[in-house]
Amino acid sequence: MQLKEVLKDKILKGDYKEKIPSERDFMEQFSVSRSTVRKAINALVLDGVLERIHGRGTFVSLRPVEEWLGNLSTFNDLVCNMGMKPSIKLLYQGVESATENSVPLGLTEVYVIKRLRFADDVPLAVERQYYPLKIGLKLAQFDLNNAAIYDLLESSLGINLSEAEEVITGRMSTKEEAKLLGSDQLISVLQTERIIFDTDGNPVEYERSVYRSDMYSFRIKLARKRG
């Protein structure tokens, strides 16, 4: 079990990206028997972390968390649907004056919430959310660690979320983002910018977040119009 967790941690950190080293390599590296190595690998195959391809070897088979565009789903729901355990850590919250991040809301002051999102204890995303002060100060009354903010907005604050506009781009992380996402080097990330509106068309939240591009993907279903 110890070897299994060590190998899984290395896989999630990107130490092994495709084919994993041989059993003998693991035996020498960790000073364990072939039986121990095989049991650890078999456990990871059963968990879906690794897959065996006949005649080629054993390969990493982790699937990224997929978010279907078109639905305002919570992060917890997305991760649970992938068979993983979600968790969220609050990094910062407070009032900030006008910046480029408050412009989409048309405000001079906003309430900022910054959190780190995990799946099976692996950091996936750095989330920054900006709210009108009236809404943000109400959210501040709750413990925002592991909280589903959409649920708080609707169930506790009585705000009916209606629709959102979102832009997704790719870029390299900052040093701070890379560190939070578990890397000592700059990594490729997906950046999202989303504005959420209530049923009256008022902007409720502006979110600007970054996701590990190797562990998170966005999916959309398209249809061709006829006639």
Side-chain angles (χ1 to χ4, degrees), residues 75-80 84-88 118-121 146:
F75 175 81
N76 287 359
D77 289 340
L78 292 171
V79 174
C80 286
M84 293 182 281
K85 181 187 74 174
S87 57
I88 308 174
F118 299 83
D120 280 349
D121 299 322
N146 294 317

Side-chain angles (χ1 to χ4, degrees), residues 75 115-118 123-127 181 209-212:
F75 175 81
R115 304 192 299 175
L116 186 60
R117 294 179 174 272
F118 299 83
L124 289 189
V126 182
E127 168 191 86
L181 293 173
S209 301
V210 295
Y211 297 80
R212 279 180 54 171

Side-chain angles (χ1 to χ4, degrees), residues 41 61 71 86 88 90 107 116 144 154 159 167 193:
I41 291 175
S61 64
N71 296 311
I88 308 174
L90 178 66
L107 303 169
L116 186 60
L144 298 178
E154 294 187 315
I159 297 173
V167 176
E193 295 182 69

Side-chain angles (χ1 to χ4, degrees), residues 4-207:
K4 172 193 172 184
E5 293 305 317
V6 169
L7 295 182
K8 182 178 180 181
D9 184 61
K10 286 182 172 293
I11 291 168
L12 293 172
K13 288 181 178 178
D15 292 350
Y16 311 135
K17 296 183 182 298
E18 296 182 2
K19 187 176 181 179
I20 66 170
S22 68
E23 291 180 356
R24 181 167 295 279
D25 288 337
F26 285 140
M27 290 166 60
E28 294 176 356
Q29 181 179 355
F30 299 105
S31 300
V32 295
S33 68
R34 185 181 297 273
S35 174
T36 298
V37 171
R38 286 182 176 175
K39 288 179 180 179
I41 291 175
N42 286 340
L44 291 172
V45 170
L46 288 174
D47 287 349
V49 177
L50 295 175
E51 64 176 332
R52 289 192 176 92
I53 300 178
H54 183 69
R56 294 183 58 194
T58 305
F59 293 78
V60 174
S61 64
L62 279 177
R63 295 177 299 161
V65 173
E66 287 188 350
E67 178 175 339
W68 273 92
L69 296 178
N71 296 311
L72 283 175
S73 301
T74 67
F75 175 81
N76 287 359
D77 289 340
L78 292 171
V79 174
C80 286
N81 289 339
M82 296 293 293
M84 293 182 281
K85 181 187 74 174
S87 57
I88 308 174
K89 178 183 178 181
L90 178 66
L91 301 176
Y92 166 81
Q93 60 180 336
V95 178
E96 292 187 0
S97 57
T99 66
E100 62 175 338
N101 296 315
S102 60
V103 171
L105 295 177
L107 303 169
T108 57
E109 282 190 314
V110 289
Y111 194 85
V112 183
I113 297 171
K114 181 178 177 181
R115 304 192 299 175
L116 186 60
R117 294 179 174 272
F118 299 83
D120 280 349
D121 299 322
V122 178
L124 289 189
V126 182
E127 168 191 86
R128 299 173 180 84
Q129 294 164 308
Y130 305 84
Y131 299 93
L133 290 185
K134 183 179 180 180
I135 295 175
L137 292 173
K138 289 181 179 178
L139 287 173
Q141 299 173 18
F142 299 92
D143 180 3
L144 298 178
N145 289 289
N146 294 317
I149 290 185
Y150 289 175
D151 291 343
L152 291 178
L153 290 171
E154 294 187 315
S155 300
S156 301
L157 274 62
I159 297 173
N160 295 315
L161 304 179
S162 176
E163 59 183 12
E165 298 175 2
E166 184 166 13
V167 176
I168 304 170
T169 54
R171 64 172 173 84
M172 295 302 292
S173 68
T174 64
K175 290 183 179 180
E176 179 193 9
E177 290 166 345
K179 184 177 180 180
L180 288 171
L181 293 173
S183 175
D184 56 3
Q185 298 179 343
L186 300 186
I187 59 174
S188 175
V189 295
L190 295 171
Q191 176 177 287
T192 65
E193 295 182 69
R194 175 188 291 179
I195 303 179
I196 298 179
F197 301 89
D198 63 17
T199 51
D200 294 324
N202 300 311
V204 173
E205 172 196 278
Y206 171 60
E207 179 183 320

